[in-house]
Amino acid sequence: MDVTALLAKLYQQLPAENTGEVATYIPELAKVDPTKFGVHAVTCDQRAYAYGDSEECFSIQSIAKMFTLTMAYQREGNQLWERVDVEPSGTPFNSLVQLEADKGIPRNPMNNSGALVVCDILLNYLAEPKKDLLAFVHSLTGDETINFNERVAASERETSARNRALIEFIRSFGNINNDTERLLDFYCTLCSLEMNCRQLAESFLFLANQGISPCTGKRIVSSTMTKRLNAIMQLCGLYDEAGEFAFRVGLPGKSGVGGGIVALHPGDYCVAVWSPPLNPKGNSFYGMAYLEAFTSEVGESIY
Amino acid sequence: MDVTALLAKLYQQLPAENTGEVATYIPELAKVDPTKFGVHAVTCDQRAYAYGDSEECFSIQSIAKMFTLTMAYQREGNQLWERVDVEPSGTPFNSLVQLEADKGIPRNPMNNSGALVVCDILLNYLAEPKKDLLAFVHSLTGDETINFNERVAASERETSARNRALIEFIRSFGNINNDTERLLDFYCTLCSLEMNCRQLAESFLFLANQGISPCTGKRIVSSTMTKRLNAIMQLCGLYDEAGEFAFRVGLPGKSGVGGGIVALHPGDYCVAVWSPPLNPKGNSFYGMAYLEAFTSEVGESIY
Amino acid sequence: MDVTALLAKLYQQLPAENTGEVATYIPELAKVDPTKFGVHAVTCDQRAYAYGDSEECFSIQSIAKMFTLTMAYQREGNQLWERVDVEPSGTPFNSLVQLEADKGIPRNPMNNSGALVVCDILLNYLAEPKKDLLAFVHSLTGDETINFNERVAASERETSARNRALIEFIRSFGNINNDTERLLDFYCTLCSLEMNCRQLAESFLFLANQGISPCTGKRIVSSTMTKRLNAIMQLCGLYDEAGEFAFRVGLPGKSGVGGGIVALHPGDYCVAVWSPPLNPKGNSFYGMAYLEAFTSEVGESIY
Amino acid sequence: MDVTALLAKLYQQLPAENTGEVATYIPELAKVDPTKFGVHAVTCDQRAYAYGDSEECFSIQSIAKMFTLTMAYQREGNQLWERVDVEPSGTPFNSLVQLEADKGIPRNPMNNSGALVVCDILLNYLAEPKKDLLAFVHSLTGDETINFNERVAASERETSARNRALIEFIRSFGNINNDTERLLDFYCTLCSLEMNCRQLAESFLFLANQGISPCTGKRIVSSTMTKRLNAIMQLCGLYDEAGEFAFRVGLPGKSGVGGGIVALHPGDYCVAVWSPPLNPKGNSFYGMAYLEAFTSEVGESIY
């Protein structure tokens, strides 16, 4: 199969009308060009295919939650799950309702509350949290050009009332230990990571390769941990659209409000797609459609 | 690998104490011997392995929801999803809370409300619903000894206040069309299906084999539909423990309060395990533990 | 004060536009003339004042719940509150959400679930429930012309999916004992009571008169029970608009989707108003406005 | 009636066992002597009766919310209700669930979220908020010895994660404008007000006297506003036990976790009772029982 040609063809076949809308709740994100589209696929044996704006960096936002989750899992092992559960939530990503019923244990590490607890855990381990996080991301691929976007981080901190509420609420149940502003600063910086489709696909490739980065040959996490991280992505990676994504795309994946989605086929490949307009559930409208067509054509879902 | 020996070894390694409890809400189910344990694994090329009480029939209960779902999907295609969603619910299997918010559209076809809607749909298609259902189940493997247990069905009808409530509640939103007692009778009969581990593993094998039953060579559903059915099982098959199951076992699966769990590895095999005592979330305590150990040893999850 | 003239003046001063809408969920109710308006006030010493269509009968609907509540309270005394609570619910009148959290104990006897439990209790006491109910209503004023409307009752039974759901749901918690159809028939018949404003005001007058009907001189309930019935009306009588009603009108009251509202000033008077169009919370739009103006002019709320 | 003797007799008749527990979530409150008991009743014509520790100051906590509500109502008039509703909530006092459904508009000004919004409003009006608040409280009775307890306020600020969560959550809906720490400081200081039963009864007496303080002869709010404040207390003053309180006591009232309850009979009297151990819903166990007996004996509820 000529994968490069396929990537172009699939783009042509996207629905003419993109009914999604660019995220506006973070002012800095609202400035992005909604017509941007990029995709990059890379196999475990490092064959790579790309189309469109695949080399242009964008704000990966929640996709970055997988980086901190991996770092925390490395350090805490399965103790981690005493502070955050691994169940899909059935409610929007920033909901407080379930937290009240669950007494401050977030349903999973992919929604905001769970990601905040994961960041809180990491703050107890990292001497220089932002620097250490960046070093970890660099270590996944060897690419040291990846960086935060300070303006996005600042923009996010300024519109973080809901996340502050989550932090204080979880703290009231005893499941947050660090200072609110310090935690929020780390979290917003995490979400401000900028990567292009290639970097994204490559940095998630260890999850398709039993925990070893094909780019560097280094083991990131054990094979068992890899499976568990993929299971979490599968069930919780696309918020309350996880079922739809599993149903249509059939791969573990993680989305961000910047319009990126990364998905992977264990043992096979990783693919990252980027298109800023989001559907009503907060996932890239074209990204979902493209990945659905992609797995249909490539004939591969995990099911 | 000597799979037969492995099945026995894994049984020996189960935790000594089974903290689960046999379901008692249906009187007929409470009579089962809690020490029963059986497992049967069968590959797409029909190699089979078994251990324990694998030839003893038990009440498969909610596992049977996959049969009616498959039948409804055959008939309705993707229109089906206008009446039932494919998202995990995050709430217990018989909850009414989400139905109220979602205006009578059940979150997924694996919880009671969704399964009732699926049965309601089938009643419009089937001339003799119970007979047609049984014929379908027989057609999956060619084994015509599988049958309902009328006492269990009757016992279930008598303790069905919650399911009646679900039916009337969904009806109030316009998403149930048939008579309550007729629907309930069909649903309770469905749940009263009795099968042994071998029959269960064989009857689900088409879902591991791209939609074709290896036992009969007949196509049940298309390859795409197969993937989607597996995705639904993965995300919703173990109620609000779906995440835990994906995390620990890593396979699409479906459980029932009779203590059965069936799981499958697409392209590879299907395994059914049975142990009546249930954990607090309503899934077989030993079943979960056994399948976790099994996939760890066999080295195969889908992730 | 010329109360008769006041009643006319207050009608003239109602907002020109009635933004309410006539209830349509029961087909029979949808046929009512939306321009009808009547009011009748009567004091404990039996001075009476009326305006408009005060002699025209209408469907009192939920207002009738106070009759069965009084009858059940007579028979059960404070044991009654073990099966139904006395707290405002904060949710719509037919909500199932709280029932799930409260394990089948309705929040109060004024919402549908609580009224159904009250009817269920009465069915255990009454030899001929409908006849006995009617006899009770007649005994409040001596007026034996008051009757049910069989067409309305039938219409209501046919559109009772939500109430059937409530019954089965409460039954699943063990708080309903009688047959669903029998209970529903009694409940729908209760709600089909037809009365005019005069009959309504007179029949509630015992609640303003320490439990003794001024019309007949007979004691209906004790003085303490009277206070408690009034407290329940005050806190729960207007569904999730009870606060607004207390705030604006300041009297215990009960509304029905037929457009009637009855309110009373303990020790003083009872007033019934009728105007079919309902506000979004299900209470008569003009009824609320009229009673607010009435208590402002008369200078009497209980606060 | 010898009211003084009655107050003593009612104390003797309290249930022997006090099953309540002193509030411990604020360390400073946990230090109080649980055997303290005081009551003070004062009529609109200033006859006063007392029993027990009625001259001993205690932390009035949430009772103080009525002071800020009155101050905000004076300044905003009925515009106030655009930012906070007047409906009972049906949920615990510090719940976030309803806020999410109601998009940041608190159900009523008596629960924590509503009281925080009221404080936020006042911060925009008051030049020196704490000083101005104290001046207002002094003006109700002329007693200038009433003061805050700085240790309690500090203790409360330190354990305010839940209130911080409420503030940030409401802010995320645009219904909080001031700085979190400034608002929290004002709110915690408010709750730290210390008063004895006499001061409490006297300071609420204007609400029983059509808005005019009998102690000073000065009008605090209009007669209409007085009625509305009483209606709010009646429906929302005892959190999710408001129904029980209306049912048993029959008066508008307000409680605090310090163990105080103040209740009033419009046109007649105001009574304050204090006993630290709280029932499971957070209201004084003996306080509820005493007021129930009191209104039974005095023969006066508003119903």
Side-chain angles (χ1 to χ4, degrees):
Chain A
M1 174 164 35
D2 181 345
V3 179
T4 304
L6 174 66
L7 293 183
K9 188 190 79 172
L10 293 177
Y11 177 72
Q12 302 307 327
Q13 293 173 349
L14 282 172
E17 191 193 4
N18 187 336
T19 61
E21 289 184 30
V22 171
T24 55
Y25 76 100
I26 305 166
E28 201 62 32
L29 287 185
K31 299 178 184 168
V32 74
D33 176 353
T35 67
K36 290 290 180 181
F37 181 91
V39 59
H40 185 97
V42 56
T43 63
C44 289
D45 54 5
Q46 302 204 38
R47 284 166 293 135
Y49 312 92
Y51 177 80
D53 307 309
S54 64
E55 292 290 325
E56 183 162 333
C57 284
F58 60 94
S59 193
I60 70 167
Q61 293 290 321
S62 288
I63 299 174
K65 292 171 180 173
M66 281 305 293
F67 298 141
T68 36
L69 176 61
T70 303
M71 292 176 79
Y73 200 15
Q74 288 175 328
R75 284 155 180 82
E76 289 266 310
N78 288 317
Q79 266 198 304
L80 179 59
W81 316 118
E82 291 170 18
R83 289 187 56 188
V84 57
D85 205 346
V86 295
E87 295 297 332
S89 69
T91 53
F93 69 94
N94 56 5
S95 175
L96 281 89
V97 170
Q98 274 185 331
L99 268 179
E100 187 157 345
D102 294 343
K103 303 200 178 308
I105 305 297
R107 275 291 168 103
N108 64 66
M110 297 290 96
N111 61 25
N112 287 17
S113 53
L116 286 163
V117 167
V118 166
C119 284
D120 183 65
I121 290 168
L122 276 182
L123 286 183
N124 290 343
Y125 282 103
L126 306 181
E128 298 183 77
K130 295 185 201 179
K131 202 174 146 190
D132 297 343
L133 165 61
L134 211 51
F136 172 77
V137 175
H138 293 166
S139 78
L140 294 174
T141 60
D143 181 341
E144 304 203 342
T145 67
I146 297 166
N147 212 335
F148 308 121
N149 180 323
E150 286 300 341
R151 271 177 303 110
V152 169
S155 184
E156 208 142 350
R157 269 195 310 273
E158 277 159 30
T159 54
S160 271
R162 180 66 76 106
N163 284 328
R164 272 194 187 85
L166 287 171
I167 293 170
E168 299 297 350
F169 194 43
I170 300 168
R171 185 191 305 282
S172 74
F173 292 103
N175 199 19
I176 288 278
N177 300 314
N178 288 282
D179 174 72
T180 299
E181 295 310 313
R182 186 168 170 246
L183 173 52
L184 204 58
D185 182 44
F186 182 50
Y187 177 80
C188 291
T189 302
L190 168 71
C191 293
S192 82
L193 269 171
E194 287 192 338
M195 297 171 76
N196 60 37
C197 290
R198 177 179 48 75
Q199 291 168 328
L200 206 45
E202 287 175 356
S203 67
F204 272 70
L205 199 52
F206 76 97
L207 290 167
N209 195 45
Q210 298 194 300
I212 297 166
S213 164
C215 311
T216 66
K218 275 190 269 185
R219 176 166 294 285
I220 311 298
V221 286
S222 73
S223 161
T224 298
M225 290 166 100
T226 303
K227 288 175 188 179
R228 295 184 163 186
L229 290 170
N230 287 336
I232 289 170
M233 272 206 289
Q234 180 78 74
L235 270 83
C236 319
L238 273 88
Y239 312 121
D240 48 344
E241 205 170 35
E244 187 77 11
F245 190 74
F247 186 83
R248 287 168 50 187
V249 178
L251 299 178
K254 183 75 202 85
S255 63
V257 293
I261 307 179
V262 58
L264 58 95
H265 191 273
D268 208 347
Y269 66 81
C270 184
V271 56
V273 62
W274 171 50
S275 165
L278 309 178
N279 69 20
K281 296 213 166 167
N283 297 311
S284 172
F285 177 83
Y286 269 177
M288 292 275 289
Y290 192 91
L291 289 174
E292 180 179 9
F294 180 78
T295 52
S296 297
E297 288 281 341
V298 174
E300 292 275 6
S301 85
I302 59 174
Y303 299 119
Chain B
M1 174 167 31
D2 181 344
V3 178
T4 303
L6 174 66
L7 293 183
K9 188 190 79 172
L10 293 177
Y11 176 72
Q12 302 307 327
Q13 293 173 350
L14 282 172
E17 192 193 5
N18 186 337
T19 62
E21 291 185 26
V22 171
T24 55
Y25 75 100
I26 304 167
E28 202 62 32
L29 287 185
K31 300 177 184 168
V32 75
D33 177 353
T35 67
K36 292 289 181 182
F37 180 89
V39 60
H40 185 97
V42 56
T43 63
C44 288
D45 54 7
Q46 304 204 49
R47 284 167 293 135
Y49 312 93
Y51 177 79
D53 307 309
S54 64
E55 291 291 324
E56 184 162 331
C57 284
F58 59 93
S59 193
I60 70 167
Q61 292 292 319
S62 288
I63 299 174
K65 292 171 180 172
M66 281 304 293
F67 298 141
T68 36
L69 176 61
T70 304
M71 291 176 80
Y73 199 15
Q74 286 175 329
R75 284 155 179 83
E76 290 267 309
N78 287 317
Q79 266 197 303
L80 179 59
W81 316 118
E82 291 169 18
R83 290 187 56 189
V84 56
D85 205 347
V86 296
E87 293 298 332
S89 70
T91 53
F93 68 95
N94 56 5
S95 174
L96 281 91
V97 169
Q98 273 184 334
L99 270 178
E100 188 157 345
D102 294 342
K103 303 198 180 309
I105 304 296
R107 276 293 167 102
N108 64 67
M110 297 290 97
N111 60 26
N112 287 17
S113 54
L116 286 163
V117 167
V118 166
C119 284
D120 184 66
I121 290 168
L122 276 183
L123 286 182
N124 290 344
Y125 282 104
L126 306 181
E128 298 182 78
K130 295 185 199 177
K131 203 173 144 190
D132 296 344
L133 166 60
L134 211 52
F136 172 77
V137 175
H138 294 166
S139 78
L140 294 174
T141 60
D143 182 340
E144 304 204 344
T145 66
I146 297 166
N147 212 336
F148 306 121
N149 181 322
E150 286 300 339
R151 272 177 303 109
V152 168
S155 183
E156 207 143 351
R157 269 196 309 274
E158 277 158 31
T159 53
S160 270
R162 180 66 76 106
N163 284 328
R164 273 196 187 83
L166 286 171
I167 292 170
E168 299 297 349
F169 194 43
I170 301 168
R171 187 192 304 285
S172 75
F173 291 105
N175 198 21
I176 289 276
N177 300 314
N178 289 282
D179 174 72
T180 299
E181 295 310 313
R182 185 166 171 245
L183 173 53
L184 204 58
D185 183 45
F186 183 51
Y187 177 80
C188 291
T189 303
L190 168 71
C191 291
S192 82
L193 269 171
E194 288 192 338
M195 296 172 75
N196 60 36
C197 290
R198 179 181 45 76
Q199 291 167 329
L200 207 45
E202 286 175 356
S203 67
F204 271 69
L205 198 52
F206 76 96
L207 290 167
N209 196 43
Q210 298 195 302
I212 296 166
S213 164
C215 311
T216 66
K218 276 190 268 184
R219 174 166 294 284
I220 312 299
V221 287
S222 72
S223 160
T224 297
M225 289 166 103
T226 303
K227 288 176 188 177
R228 292 181 167 189
L229 290 169
N230 288 335
I232 289 170
M233 272 207 288
Q234 180 78 74
L235 271 84
C236 319
L238 274 88
Y239 311 122
D240 48 346
E241 204 169 36
E244 188 77 11
F245 190 75
F247 185 83
R248 286 169 51 190
V249 178
L251 299 178
K254 183 75 203 82
S255 64
V257 293
I261 307 179
V262 58
L264 60 93
H265 191 274
D268 208 346
Y269 66 82
C270 183
V271 56
V273 62
W274 173 50
S275 167
L278 310 179
N279 68 20
K281 296 213 168 167
N283 298 312
S284 173
F285 177 82
Y286 269 177
M288 292 275 290
Y290 192 91
L291 289 175
E292 180 179 9
F294 181 78
T295 51
S296 295
E297 287 282 339
V298 174
E300 290 277 3
S301 85
I302 59 175
Y303 299 119
Chain C
M1 173 165 34
D2 181 345
V3 177
T4 304
L6 174 66
L7 293 183
K9 188 188 80 172
L10 293 177
Y11 177 73
Q12 302 306 327
Q13 292 173 351
L14 282 171
E17 192 193 3
N18 187 336
T19 61
E21 290 185 28
V22 171
T24 55
Y25 75 100
I26 304 167
E28 202 62 32
L29 287 185
K31 298 177 184 168
V32 74
D33 177 354
T35 67
K36 292 289 179 183
F37 180 90
V39 59
H40 185 96
V42 56
T43 63
C44 289
D45 53 5
Q46 303 205 52
R47 284 168 291 136
Y49 312 92
Y51 177 80
D53 306 310
S54 64
E55 292 291 324
E56 184 162 332
C57 283
F58 59 93
S59 193
I60 70 166
Q61 293 292 319
S62 289
I63 299 174
K65 292 171 179 172
M66 281 305 292
F67 298 141
T68 36
L69 176 61
T70 303
M71 291 176 78
Y73 200 15
Q74 286 175 329
R75 284 155 179 83
E76 290 266 310
N78 288 317
Q79 266 197 304
L80 179 59
W81 316 118
E82 291 169 17
R83 290 186 57 187
V84 56
D85 205 348
V86 296
E87 294 298 333
S89 71
T91 54
F93 68 96
N94 56 4
S95 175
L96 281 89
V97 170
Q98 273 184 332
L99 269 179
E100 188 156 344
D102 294 342
K103 304 199 179 308
I105 305 297
R107 277 293 167 100
N108 63 66
M110 297 290 96
N111 61 25
N112 287 17
S113 54
L116 286 163
V117 167
V118 166
C119 284
D120 183 66
I121 289 168
L122 276 184
L123 286 182
N124 289 344
Y125 282 104
L126 306 181
E128 297 183 79
K130 294 185 201 177
K131 205 174 144 190
D132 296 343
L133 166 62
L134 211 52
F136 172 77
V137 176
H138 293 167
S139 78
L140 293 174
T141 59
D143 181 340
E144 304 204 344
T145 66
I146 296 167
N147 211 336
F148 307 121
N149 180 322
E150 286 300 340
R151 271 178 304 109
V152 168
S155 183
E156 208 143 348
R157 270 196 308 273
E158 277 159 31
T159 53
S160 270
R162 180 66 76 106
N163 285 328
R164 271 195 187 83
L166 287 170
I167 292 170
E168 300 298 348
F169 194 43
I170 300 169
R171 186 192 304 285
S172 74
F173 291 105
N175 199 20
I176 289 276
N177 301 315
N178 289 282
D179 174 72
T180 299
E181 295 310 313
R182 186 168 171 244
L183 173 53
L184 204 58
D185 183 43
F186 183 51
Y187 177 80
C188 291
T189 302
L190 168 71
C191 291
S192 82
L193 269 171
E194 288 193 336
M195 296 171 77
N196 60 36
C197 290
R198 178 179 47 75
Q199 291 167 328
L200 207 45
E202 286 175 357
S203 67
F204 272 69
L205 198 53
F206 76 96
L207 290 167
N209 195 44
Q210 297 195 299
I212 296 166
S213 164
C215 310
T216 66
K218 276 190 271 185
R219 174 167 293 286
I220 311 300
V221 287
S222 72
S223 160
T224 298
M225 289 167 102
T226 303
K227 287 176 188 179
R228 291 181 167 187
L229 290 170
N230 287 336
I232 290 171
M233 273 206 289
Q234 179 79 74
L235 271 83
C236 319
L238 275 88
Y239 310 123
D240 48 344
E241 204 169 35
E244 188 76 12
F245 190 73
F247 185 83
R248 285 168 50 189
V249 177
L251 299 178
K254 182 75 203 84
S255 63
V257 293
I261 307 179
V262 58
L264 59 93
H265 191 273
D268 207 346
Y269 66 81
C270 184
V271 55
V273 62
W274 173 48
S275 166
L278 309 178
N279 69 20
K281 296 213 167 167
N283 298 312
S284 172
F285 178 83
Y286 269 176
M288 293 275 289
Y290 192 90
L291 288 174
E292 181 180 9
F294 180 78
T295 51
S296 295
E297 287 282 341
V298 174
E300 292 276 3
S301 86
I302 59 174
Y303 299 119
Chain D
M1 175 165 34
D2 180 345
V3 178
T4 304
L6 174 67
L7 293 183
K9 187 189 80 170
L10 293 176
Y11 177 72
Q12 302 306 329
Q13 293 173 350
L14 281 172
E17 191 194 5
N18 187 336
T19 62
E21 290 185 28
V22 171
T24 55
Y25 75 100
I26 304 166
E28 201 62 34
L29 287 185
K31 299 177 184 167
V32 75
D33 177 353
T35 67
K36 292 289 182 183
F37 180 90
V39 59
H40 185 97
V42 57
T43 63
C44 287
D45 53 5
Q46 301 204 48
R47 283 167 293 136
Y49 311 93
Y51 177 80
D53 307 310
S54 64
E55 291 291 325
E56 184 163 331
C57 283
F58 59 93
S59 193
I60 70 166
Q61 293 291 319
S62 288
I63 300 174
K65 291 171 180 173
M66 281 304 293
F67 298 141
T68 36
L69 176 61
T70 304
M71 291 177 80
Y73 200 13
Q74 288 175 328
R75 284 157 180 81
E76 289 266 309
N78 287 317
Q79 266 198 305
L80 179 57
W81 316 118
E82 291 170 18
R83 289 185 58 186
V84 57
D85 205 346
V86 295
E87 295 297 333
S89 70
T91 54
F93 69 95
N94 56 4
S95 175
L96 282 89
V97 169
Q98 274 184 333
L99 268 179
E100 188 157 344
D102 294 342
K103 304 200 178 308
I105 305 296
R107 275 291 168 101
N108 64 66
M110 297 290 96
N111 61 25
N112 287 18
S113 54
L116 286 163
V117 167
V118 166
C119 284
D120 184 64
I121 290 168
L122 276 183
L123 287 181
N124 290 342
Y125 282 103
L126 307 181
E128 297 182 79
K130 296 185 200 178
K131 203 174 147 192
D132 296 344
L133 165 61
L134 211 51
F136 172 76
V137 175
H138 293 167
S139 78
L140 293 174
T141 59
D143 181 342
E144 303 204 343
T145 67
I146 297 166
N147 211 336
F148 307 121
N149 181 322
E150 284 301 340
R151 271 176 305 109
V152 169
S155 184
E156 207 143 349
R157 269 196 309 274
E158 276 158 31
T159 54
S160 270
R162 180 67 76 105
N163 284 328
R164 272 196 187 83
L166 287 171
I167 292 170
E168 298 298 349
F169 194 43
I170 301 169
R171 185 192 305 283
S172 74
F173 291 105
N175 198 19
I176 289 277
N177 300 315
N178 288 282
D179 174 72
T180 299
E181 295 310 314
R182 186 169 171 244
L183 173 52
L184 203 58
D185 182 43
F186 183 50
Y187 176 80
C188 292
T189 302
L190 169 70
C191 292
S192 83
L193 268 171
E194 288 192 338
M195 296 171 75
N196 59 36
C197 290
R198 177 180 47 76
Q199 291 167 330
L200 207 45
E202 287 175 356
S203 67
F204 271 68
L205 198 52
F206 76 96
L207 290 167
N209 196 43
Q210 299 195 299
I212 296 167
S213 165
C215 311
T216 66
K218 274 191 269 184
R219 176 167 292 286
I220 311 300
V221 285
S222 73
S223 161
T224 298
M225 289 166 102
T226 303
K227 287 175 188 181
R228 294 184 163 185
L229 290 170
N230 287 336
I232 290 170
M233 272 206 289
Q234 179 79 73
L235 271 84
C236 318
L238 274 87
Y239 312 123
D240 48 345
E241 205 169 31
E244 188 76 12
F245 190 74
F247 184 83
R248 286 169 51 188
V249 178
L251 300 178
K254 184 75 203 83
S255 64
V257 293
I261 307 179
V262 59
L264 59 94
H265 190 273
D268 208 346
Y269 66 82
C270 184
V271 55
V273 61
W274 172 50
S275 166
L278 309 179
N279 68 20
K281 295 212 168 168
N283 298 312
S284 172
F285 177 82
Y286 270 176
M288 291 275 289
Y290 192 91
L291 289 175
E292 182 180 7
F294 181 78
T295 51
S296 296
E297 288 281 342
V298 174
E300 292 274 6
S301 86
I302 59 173
Y303 299 119

